Amino acid sequence: MNKPLQGIRIIDFTHVQAGPACTQMLAWFGADVIKVERPGSGDVTRSQLRDIPDVDALYFTMLNSNKKSLTLDTKTQAGKEVLEKLIKVSDVMVENFGPGALDRMGFSWERIQELNPKMILASVKGFSDGHHYEDLKVYENVAQCAGGAASTTGWWDGPPTVSSAALGDSNTGMHLAIGILTAYIGRQQTGKGQKVAVSMQDAVLNLCRVKMRDQLRLDRLGYLEEYPQYPHGTFSDVVPRGGNAGGGGQPGWVLKCKGWETDPNAYIYFTVQGHAWEPICDAIGKPEWKTDPNYTTAKARQPHIMDIFGTIEEWLKDKTKYEAVDILRKFDIPCAPVLSMKELLNDESLRKSGSIVEVPHKTRGSYFTVGSPIKFSDLKPEVTASPLLGENTDEVLSSLGYNGDQIKALHSDKVV
């Protein structure tokens, strides 16, 4: 199968999650991604949170499939020469070093342009260039706090809360992948490469735009009628935390189902969508609500919304989350079971669609991982195993014109 990004060579100088998530997705779609790693140790996630001794951790394997691994000591002159040759024949370099690290290596943007004027240099940053925090080291939860997600997540009487979804890391990587492909298309038009950067703060903020919307509304109105604090509570001058409220104008809440006492995920998310109000009344056996003026409009329902959810929860108490959803879906009511990681891992629909895939690995054996979330009519991305440390070093060096003796010398000198 011809893959759309086949023929694009990417130098992957990233580590941990944001950058590797970006380059992995591009590799799924056909790009030749060469992961440059430190000899002897490689990406730090190879050894983090191991479940099998002396085997690459799942943290690494799940973010570096479909890539090649080149070990290279860029502090040596011979290592710099290898990297120069690689830059000359590549299309994209992706990095998430600290500020100034590439310059200190001797590969400033100006030097990269000298070697390859068509090169696209893509960077993951904590904060944008020129930001007053640009020198801060940023990780996932730091980005969620700096980007506005934490301040608007959690319960109104509790502290800011971070999400388990990788809003700072993988989300930034997805934004950067879009930037790289945009720059590549631009290069086809102009013949020139360019720098592309995404800061983790900006990527989180982009996903929080509805909360920025709410701040602007709050500034004007002094209240937010779709939040649980309305109309009985009070508002300050900042967007509050809303618990499990929908946040999009459609009230929603997480509700207990049968078995919640022993199963921490025996819940569904239930949305009281305006056009579905009458079907909701029919589904839960409350036909009188359809004509009761206290319930007929969203504005009328809001003062009673928690009581409404309480009644729905009472209806749910003898139904499992799956039984409840099977009933409610017949009424076209927006809802879903709260699914655990274990349930998702074993979901037959996700396995059939390729969203969860089984991958054979040379040292750990077969394992399950997340596949491409993007589906195509004429492309089915194949997920292959992540490379062992330095597995493709000789292959890459040969492609750059090094002969067998030269490769042996680089190994002997511990350059690779």
Side-chain angles (χ1 to χ4, degrees), residues 268 283 315-316 319-333 335-337:
I268 66 169
W315 175 80
L316 289 166
K319 302 170 184 67
T320 68
K321 61 187 179 183
Y322 298 111
E323 291 169 343
V325 169
D326 281 342
I327 293 169
L328 296 171
R329 66 199 289 201
K330 296 173 184 176
F331 291 87
D332 201 25
I333 297 167
C335 63

Side-chain angles (χ1 to χ4, degrees), residues 47-267:
S47 59
Q48 282 188 342
L49 305 174
R50 276 182 170 145
D51 58 318
I52 304 175
D54 302 320
V55 171
D56 286 337
L58 289 164
Y59 197 177
F60 179 84
T61 65
M62 295 179 75
L63 286 159
N64 291 281
S65 58
N66 295 58
K67 301 179 186 180
K68 297 174 181 176
S69 173
L70 164 69
T71 50
L72 185 64
D73 184 354
T74 57
K75 293 180 180 178
T76 66
Q77 184 55 40
K80 293 181 192 300
E81 290 172 4
V82 172
L83 183 54
E84 286 183 356
K85 289 184 178 183
L86 189 56
I87 288 172
K88 288 178 180 178
V89 297
S90 298
D91 300 285
V92 183
M93 179 189 286
V94 190
E95 61 89 17
N96 61 349
F97 294 123
L102 273 180
D103 291 357
R104 291 191 294 274
M105 285 171 56
F107 291 92
S108 65
W109 172 234
E110 291 72 25
R111 177 59 180 150
I112 291 171
Q113 285 184 302
E114 287 175 8
L115 294 168
N116 184 351
K118 292 185 176 182
M119 175 63 76
I120 294 164
L121 176 60
S123 303
V124 172
K125 298 179 175 295
F127 296 87
S128 293
D129 287 343
H131 193 285
H132 55 279
Y133 286 151
E134 67 176 339
D135 60 335
L136 278 178
K137 185 173 282 190
V138 176
Y139 294 107
E140 172 65 53
N141 292 347
V142 175
Q144 289 195 32
C145 290
S151 72
T152 54
T153 303
W155 299 97
W156 44 88
D157 56 355
T161 305
V162 296
S163 168
S164 61
L167 307 180
D169 275 323
S170 285
N171 168 49
T172 301
M174 300 305 100
H175 278 80
L176 189 61
I178 295 169
I180 289 169
L181 295 176
T182 301
Y184 186 80
I185 293 171
R187 192 184 79 177
Q188 291 176 320
Q189 298 168 353
T190 66
K192 293 181 180 179
Q194 62 176 305
K195 290 199 291 184
V196 182
V198 178
S199 83
M200 295 172 75
Q201 181 191 40
D202 290 351
V204 173
L205 177 59
N206 189 41
L207 294 191
C208 292
R209 67 179 65 191
V210 296
K211 298 301 181 180
M212 185 68 76
R213 171 206 68 188
D214 291 347
Q215 184 63 55
L216 295 169
R217 292 170 55 230
L218 182 63
D219 289 344
R220 183 176 295 275
L221 300 172
Y223 62 89
L224 297 167
E225 62 184 22
E226 76 279 15
Y227 279 67
Q229 290 86 337
Y230 180 88
H232 307 297
T234 58
F235 289 85
S236 70
D237 61 348
V238 298
V239 174
R241 292 183 273 283
N244 288 317
Q250 308 293 343
W253 208 252
V254 171
L255 304 178
K256 298 172 185 173
C257 293
K258 181 181 178 180
W260 67 270
E261 298 91 343
T262 56
D263 180 355
N265 295 298
Y267 294 80

